[in-house]
Each structure stands twice: as C-alpha cells, then as structure tokens.
Amino acid sequence: MSEPLFVETVLVPVDGSDESVTAIEYAVEIAEKYDAAVHVVYVLGEELVRGIETDTVDREAVASEAEAFAEAASETAAGTGVEVTSSSAYGFSRTQKTRHPGSAVLDCAEEVDADFLVIPREPSTDGPGDVLERAAEYVLLYASQPVLST
C-alpha cells in the first residue's frame, strides 16, 4: 500500500496564456486541499528572451505581465488561506544548450522544493508567450513530483 500524498508547495508554471489562468485555479484548489502554498513561475520563451536581449521587447512590460499573473494567483487564492509566491525564469538561453522551458520548470521545482506540479498542456499556437506546450511533455517525462497537466 502506498503512503498518502504529502504536499507543502504546488508549483504552477505560467506563460501569459488563458490556459495558465486555468492552471492557477487548479493549483490553488490542490494547495487548499493539502494546506499547501502555491508558487507561480512565469516562464519566458525563446522569442521573448531574444527580444529582451536585443532590446526589441520591453523588459518592463514583460515584468508587468509576470506580476499581473502573480496578482491573479493571489486573487484566486484570496479567502482560501493559500499563500502564493512567484518568480520568473528564462525558458531559453543562447549560452546554455540544455536550457529548455521544461528544464526551467524542473529547476524551479527544485529551488522551491515543490511537492506537486500543475502545468498547462496547451495547443501549439506559436505565440510569443505560449511556451508551456513545449514544457509539458518534458515535465511529464522527467518530474520526480506528481504532475497534473491541465
């Protein structure tokens, strides 16, 4: 017989998509059930990272969008007793060949000591913010934590 699931931190990667909002809702519900916290990580895809590095994308606008998602998560958790923290991560690097949106998610999971992951599994839309469709399969294959793919 397996032991019961113990969850202290639920990690939910987001990328600015509508599917990210749904994933936040699931993460908050899971955290509430297990009396856990939620950590939201805003994952920046290749197009945004390249744009920031070449100054063709406004870094402050991207930071504002990431903050808006963190605030949305806090609003979703309001009244539940679930604590929400947030960060952001580059899901692409021109200097690290192994940097991938999925590896960024798993690195963050390790950093925040996440016990459970909720990741949107989006259709491929080739939008500048929609990077998690590339990360979902990687996370499902390599995560050591339980994963809910929405």
Side-chain angles (χ1 to χ4, degrees), residues 136-147:
E137 186 173 340
Y138 185 92
V139 169
L140 287 166
L141 286 171
Y142 298 109
S144 58
Q145 306 86 343
V147 178

mmCIF file with all atom_site columns, all heavy atoms in Angstrom, residues 136-147:
data_model
loop_
_atom_site.group_PDB
_atom_site.id
_atom_site.type_symbol
_atom_site.label_atom_id
_atom_site.label_alt_id
_atom_site.label_comp_id
_atom_site.label_asym_id
_atom_site.label_entity_id
_atom_site.label_seq_id
_atom_site.pdbx_PDB_ins_code
_atom_site.Cartn_x
_atom_site.Cartn_y
_atom_site.Cartn_z
_atom_site.occupancy
_atom_site.B_iso_or_equiv
_atom_site.pdbx_formal_charge
_atom_site.auth_seq_id
_atom_site.auth_comp_id
_atom_site.auth_asym_id
_atom_site.auth_atom_id
_atom_site.pdbx_PDB_model_num
ATOM 1  N N   . ALA A 1 136 ? 5.420  20.981 -21.201 1.00 0.00 ? 136 ALA A N   1
ATOM 2  C CA  . ALA A 1 136 ? 4.550  19.995 -20.556 1.00 0.00 ? 136 ALA A CA  1
ATOM 3  C C   . ALA A 1 136 ? 5.040  18.562 -20.746 1.00 0.00 ? 136 ALA A C   1
ATOM 4  O O   . ALA A 1 136 ? 5.140  17.799 -19.771 1.00 0.00 ? 136 ALA A O   1
ATOM 5  C CB  . ALA A 1 136 ? 3.117  20.142 -21.059 1.00 0.00 ? 136 ALA A CB  1
ATOM 6  N N   . GLU A 1 137 ? 5.351  18.180 -21.969 1.00 0.00 ? 137 GLU A N   1
ATOM 7  C CA  . GLU A 1 137 ? 5.788  16.812 -22.211 1.00 0.00 ? 137 GLU A CA  1
ATOM 8  C C   . GLU A 1 137 ? 7.089  16.512 -21.464 1.00 0.00 ? 137 GLU A C   1
ATOM 9  O O   . GLU A 1 137 ? 7.251  15.458 -20.858 1.00 0.00 ? 137 GLU A O   1
ATOM 10 C CB  . GLU A 1 137 ? 5.973  16.552 -23.704 1.00 0.00 ? 137 GLU A CB  1
ATOM 11 C CG  . GLU A 1 137 ? 6.281  15.103 -23.998 1.00 0.00 ? 137 GLU A CG  1
ATOM 12 C CD  . GLU A 1 137 ? 6.298  14.797 -25.483 1.00 0.00 ? 137 GLU A CD  1
ATOM 13 O OE1 . GLU A 1 137 ? 5.728  15.567 -26.279 1.00 0.00 ? 137 GLU A OE1 1
ATOM 14 O OE2 . GLU A 1 137 ? 6.900  13.774 -25.836 1.00 0.00 ? 137 GLU A OE2 1
ATOM 15 N N   . TYR A 1 138 ? 8.007  17.452 -21.494 1.00 0.00 ? 138 TYR A N   1
ATOM 16 C CA  . TYR A 1 138 ? 9.286  17.296 -20.800 1.00 0.00 ? 138 TYR A CA  1
ATOM 17 C C   . TYR A 1 138 ? 9.047  17.106 -19.300 1.00 0.00 ? 138 TYR A C   1
ATOM 18 O O   . TYR A 1 138 ? 9.619  16.211 -18.678 1.00 0.00 ? 138 TYR A O   1
ATOM 19 C CB  . TYR A 1 138 ? 10.141 18.530 -21.060 1.00 0.00 ? 138 TYR A CB  1
ATOM 20 C CG  . TYR A 1 138 ? 11.546 18.461 -20.511 1.00 0.00 ? 138 TYR A CG  1
ATOM 21 C CD1 . TYR A 1 138 ? 12.587 17.993 -21.296 1.00 0.00 ? 138 TYR A CD1 1
ATOM 22 C CD2 . TYR A 1 138 ? 11.832 18.879 -19.220 1.00 0.00 ? 138 TYR A CD2 1
ATOM 23 C CE1 . TYR A 1 138 ? 13.888 17.942 -20.813 1.00 0.00 ? 138 TYR A CE1 1
ATOM 24 C CE2 . TYR A 1 138 ? 13.123 18.827 -18.726 1.00 0.00 ? 138 TYR A CE2 1
ATOM 25 C CZ  . TYR A 1 138 ? 14.144 18.357 -19.518 1.00 0.00 ? 138 TYR A CZ  1
ATOM 26 O OH  . TYR A 1 138 ? 15.431 18.310 -19.026 1.00 0.00 ? 138 TYR A OH  1
ATOM 27 N N   . VAL A 1 139 ? 8.212  17.952 -18.723 1.00 0.00 ? 139 VAL A N   1
ATOM 28 C CA  . VAL A 1 139 ? 7.912  17.871 -17.289 1.00 0.00 ? 139 VAL A CA  1
ATOM 29 C C   . VAL A 1 139 ? 7.229  16.548 -16.963 1.00 0.00 ? 139 VAL A C   1
ATOM 30 O O   . VAL A 1 139 ? 7.573  15.891 -15.981 1.00 0.00 ? 139 VAL A O   1
ATOM 31 C CB  . VAL A 1 139 ? 7.061  19.078 -16.842 1.00 0.00 ? 139 VAL A CB  1
ATOM 32 C CG1 . VAL A 1 139 ? 6.522  18.891 -15.430 1.00 0.00 ? 139 VAL A CG1 1
ATOM 33 C CG2 . VAL A 1 139 ? 7.881  20.366 -16.933 1.00 0.00 ? 139 VAL A CG2 1
ATOM 34 N N   . LEU A 1 140 ? 6.273  16.144 -17.783 1.00 0.00 ? 140 LEU A N   1
ATOM 35 C CA  . LEU A 1 140 ? 5.593  14.871 -17.543 1.00 0.00 ? 140 LEU A CA  1
ATOM 36 C C   . LEU A 1 140 ? 6.572  13.694 -17.589 1.00 0.00 ? 140 LEU A C   1
ATOM 37 O O   . LEU A 1 140 ? 6.432  12.734 -16.829 1.00 0.00 ? 140 LEU A O   1
ATOM 38 C CB  . LEU A 1 140 ? 4.476  14.660 -18.565 1.00 0.00 ? 140 LEU A CB  1
ATOM 39 C CG  . LEU A 1 140 ? 3.238  15.528 -18.354 1.00 0.00 ? 140 LEU A CG  1
ATOM 40 C CD1 . LEU A 1 140 ? 2.350  15.504 -19.584 1.00 0.00 ? 140 LEU A CD1 1
ATOM 41 C CD2 . LEU A 1 140 ? 2.467  15.093 -17.123 1.00 0.00 ? 140 LEU A CD2 1
ATOM 42 N N   . LEU A 1 141 ? 7.567  13.770 -18.444 1.00 0.00 ? 141 LEU A N   1
ATOM 43 C CA  . LEU A 1 141 ? 8.546  12.685 -18.557 1.00 0.00 ? 141 LEU A CA  1
ATOM 44 C C   . LEU A 1 141 ? 9.569  12.667 -17.426 1.00 0.00 ? 141 LEU A C   1
ATOM 45 O O   . LEU A 1 141 ? 9.975  11.589 -16.981 1.00 0.00 ? 141 LEU A O   1
ATOM 46 C CB  . LEU A 1 141 ? 9.297  12.786 -19.894 1.00 0.00 ? 141 LEU A CB  1
ATOM 47 C CG  . LEU A 1 141 ? 8.524  12.383 -21.136 1.00 0.00 ? 141 LEU A CG  1
ATOM 48 C CD1 . LEU A 1 141 ? 9.309  12.735 -22.396 1.00 0.00 ? 141 LEU A CD1 1
ATOM 49 C CD2 . LEU A 1 141 ? 8.222  10.890 -21.111 1.00 0.00 ? 141 LEU A CD2 1
ATOM 50 N N   . TYR A 1 142 ? 10.005 13.842 -16.966 1.00 0.00 ? 142 TYR A N   1
ATOM 51 C CA  . TYR A 1 142 ? 11.162 13.899 -16.083 1.00 0.00 ? 142 TYR A CA  1
ATOM 52 C C   . TYR A 1 142 ? 10.905 14.372 -14.656 1.00 0.00 ? 142 TYR A C   1
ATOM 53 O O   . TYR A 1 142 ? 11.823 14.313 -13.829 1.00 0.00 ? 142 TYR A O   1
ATOM 54 C CB  . TYR A 1 142 ? 12.253 14.767 -16.718 1.00 0.00 ? 142 TYR A CB  1
ATOM 55 C CG  . TYR A 1 142 ? 12.749 14.192 -18.019 1.00 0.00 ? 142 TYR A CG  1
ATOM 56 C CD1 . TYR A 1 142 ? 12.446 14.807 -19.226 1.00 0.00 ? 142 TYR A CD1 1
ATOM 57 C CD2 . TYR A 1 142 ? 13.495 13.016 -18.036 1.00 0.00 ? 142 TYR A CD2 1
ATOM 58 C CE1 . TYR A 1 142 ? 12.889 14.263 -20.421 1.00 0.00 ? 142 TYR A CE1 1
ATOM 59 C CE2 . TYR A 1 142 ? 13.938 12.472 -19.238 1.00 0.00 ? 142 TYR A CE2 1
ATOM 60 C CZ  . TYR A 1 142 ? 13.631 13.107 -20.423 1.00 0.00 ? 142 TYR A CZ  1
ATOM 61 O OH  . TYR A 1 142 ? 14.065 12.573 -21.608 1.00 0.00 ? 142 TYR A OH  1
ATOM 62 N N   . ALA A 1 143 ? 9.730  14.840 -14.342 1.00 0.00 ? 143 ALA A N   1
ATOM 63 C CA  . ALA A 1 143 ? 9.465  15.325 -12.976 1.00 0.00 ? 143 ALA A CA  1
ATOM 64 C C   . ALA A 1 143 ? 9.481  14.185 -11.979 1.00 0.00 ? 143 ALA A C   1
ATOM 65 O O   . ALA A 1 143 ? 8.977  13.084 -12.264 1.00 0.00 ? 143 ALA A O   1
ATOM 66 C CB  . ALA A 1 143 ? 8.117  16.048 -12.923 1.00 0.00 ? 143 ALA A CB  1
ATOM 67 N N   . SER A 1 144 ? 10.049 14.423 -10.837 1.00 0.00 ? 144 SER A N   1
ATOM 68 C CA  . SER A 1 144 ? 10.031 13.423 -9.764  1.00 0.00 ? 144 SER A CA  1
ATOM 69 C C   . SER A 1 144 ? 8.809  13.619 -8.872  1.00 0.00 ? 144 SER A C   1
ATOM 70 O O   . SER A 1 144 ? 8.514  12.764 -8.045  1.00 0.00 ? 144 SER A O   1
ATOM 71 C CB  . SER A 1 144 ? 11.326 13.500 -8.943  1.00 0.00 ? 144 SER A CB  1
ATOM 72 O OG  . SER A 1 144 ? 11.493 14.783 -8.399  1.00 0.00 ? 144 SER A OG  1
ATOM 73 N N   . GLN A 1 145 ? 8.109  14.720 -9.043  1.00 0.00 ? 145 GLN A N   1
ATOM 74 C CA  . GLN A 1 145 ? 6.897  15.008 -8.281  1.00 0.00 ? 145 GLN A CA  1
ATOM 75 C C   . GLN A 1 145 ? 5.661  14.583 -9.077  1.00 0.00 ? 145 GLN A C   1
ATOM 76 O O   . GLN A 1 145 ? 5.728  14.447 -10.299 1.00 0.00 ? 145 GLN A O   1
ATOM 77 C CB  . GLN A 1 145 ? 6.762  16.521 -8.019  1.00 0.00 ? 145 GLN A CB  1
ATOM 78 C CG  . GLN A 1 145 ? 7.943  17.184 -7.372  1.00 0.00 ? 145 GLN A CG  1
ATOM 79 C CD  . GLN A 1 145 ? 9.005  17.622 -8.375  1.00 0.00 ? 145 GLN A CD  1
ATOM 80 O OE1 . GLN A 1 145 ? 9.052  17.190 -9.515  1.00 0.00 ? 145 GLN A OE1 1
ATOM 81 N NE2 . GLN A 1 145 ? 9.892  18.482 -7.928  1.00 0.00 ? 145 GLN A NE2 1
ATOM 82 N N   . PRO A 1 146 ? 4.530  14.405 -8.395  1.00 0.00 ? 146 PRO A N   1
ATOM 83 C CA  . PRO A 1 146 ? 3.283  14.209 -9.127  1.00 0.00 ? 146 PRO A CA  1
ATOM 84 C C   . PRO A 1 146 ? 2.984  15.445 -9.979  1.00 0.00 ? 146 PRO A C   1
ATOM 85 O O   . PRO A 1 146 ? 3.269  16.571 -9.559  1.00 0.00 ? 146 PRO A O   1
ATOM 86 C CB  . PRO A 1 146 ? 2.233  14.033 -8.044  1.00 0.00 ? 146 PRO A CB  1
ATOM 87 C CG  . PRO A 1 146 ? 2.979  13.729 -6.789  1.00 0.00 ? 146 PRO A CG  1
ATOM 88 C CD  . PRO A 1 146 ? 4.332  14.346 -6.948  1.00 0.00 ? 146 PRO A CD  1
ATOM 89 N N   . VAL A 1 147 ? 2.416  15.234 -11.173 1.00 0.00 ? 147 VAL A N   1
ATOM 90 C CA  . VAL A 1 147 ? 2.129  16.334 -12.100 1.00 0.00 ? 147 VAL A CA  1
ATOM 91 C C   . VAL A 1 147 ? 0.683  16.227 -12.554 1.00 0.00 ? 147 VAL A C   1
ATOM 92 O O   . VAL A 1 147 ? 0.237  15.162 -12.979 1.00 0.00 ? 147 VAL A O   1
ATOM 93 C CB  . VAL A 1 147 ? 3.053  16.297 -13.333 1.00 0.00 ? 147 VAL A CB  1
ATOM 94 C CG1 . VAL A 1 147 ? 2.719  17.420 -14.304 1.00 0.00 ? 147 VAL A CG1 1
ATOM 95 C CG2 . VAL A 1 147 ? 4.514  16.347 -12.932 1.00 0.00 ? 147 VAL A CG2 1
#
